[in-house]
Amino acid sequence: MILQLEHVFKDYIQGKVPVHVLNDISMEVEEGEYLAIMGPSGSGKTTLMNLLGCLDVPTSGRYVLAGQEISALSDDALADIRNQYIGFVFQKFYLLPKMTAVDNVMLPLLYRGVPMKERRARAEEALRMVGLGERIEFYPNQLSGGQCQRVAIARAIVGNPKLLLADEPTGALDTKSGEQVMEIFHQLSQQGITIIMITHEREIAECANKIFHILDGQLVGDGAEQPKRKEAQTDEKA
């Protein structure tokens, strides 16, 4: 079990009025699973992603990640866990515009104190894994949207995270670029990385092995198993 939520609630205060965003969320995710969470705007899916990514903590309930209770940790401890265990991919790429692709990918390793030579080698390898080995010295404004997202994925995986969180990873991409990103996710899943993806697109969600639905801050159902991808489909997209 890589993570477990037990009766998690999340409230925010607007003025003096509490707003209930997540209501009694419980879920378990096994190591190596690839699942999608679907929900309309305002359903609580981004708040749930923030909790899973240790960017926020529950108002009540328990969150256990890799055997560690998260809910009562300090901000510094949460930052360490994010750096050591979690990779993030967002709809917006959040690349630093004045840094090359390889420099952007090296950043998480810099924060870990990894030596420069090793940082560079691991960042180059991550970029080759996502098909950008020929563009390591390109700046973001020299890359397409799909290529920028692949740089962001390389940055997310360069530290060998236990958990990869993706929030609308194809939302800003054209169809072909979106398919390329989903193929990379499929390959990462085959390598054993646990992936949780937030999306409102059914077609994208069906790339995962399980789909959960969130509505009005509550998970609906326990996650539906998806049929295995056919190799012919995989080959066609590769």
Side-chain angles (χ1 to χ4, degrees), residues 112-159:
R112 288 190 189 186
V114 176
M116 175 62 183
K117 185 175 181 180
E118 182 182 349
R119 290 203 306 268
R120 176 87 186 193
R122 288 173 62 175
E124 290 182 0
E125 175 61 23
L127 285 165
R128 283 193 291 270
M129 285 179 61
V130 299
L132 292 177
E134 302 298 320
R135 290 176 169 80
I136 63 173
E137 297 294 349
F138 282 46
Y139 290 88
N141 65 2
Q142 298 173 308
L143 299 171
S144 68
Q147 290 168 341
C148 284
Q149 189 63 294
R150 282 189 274 163
V151 173
I153 294 170
R155 181 183 58 194
I157 65 175
V158 72

Side-chain angles (χ1 to χ4, degrees), residues 201-213:
E201 299 181 63
R202 182 76 194 188
E203 184 177 356
I204 296 300
E206 288 176 347
C207 293
N209 299 122
K210 285 184 179 180
I211 299 177
F212 287 80
H213 296 267

Side-chain angles (χ1 to χ4, degrees), residues 92-122:
K92 296 182 179 179
F93 319 124
Y94 295 115
L95 301 179
L96 297 181
K98 295 185 179 181
M99 298 180 69
T100 63
V102 70
D103 287 333
N104 269 284
V105 175
M106 284 195 291
L107 277 177
L109 302 180
L110 172 64
Y111 300 143
R112 288 190 189 186
V114 176
M116 175 62 183
K117 185 175 181 180
E118 182 182 349
R119 290 203 306 268
R120 176 87 186 193
R122 288 173 62 175

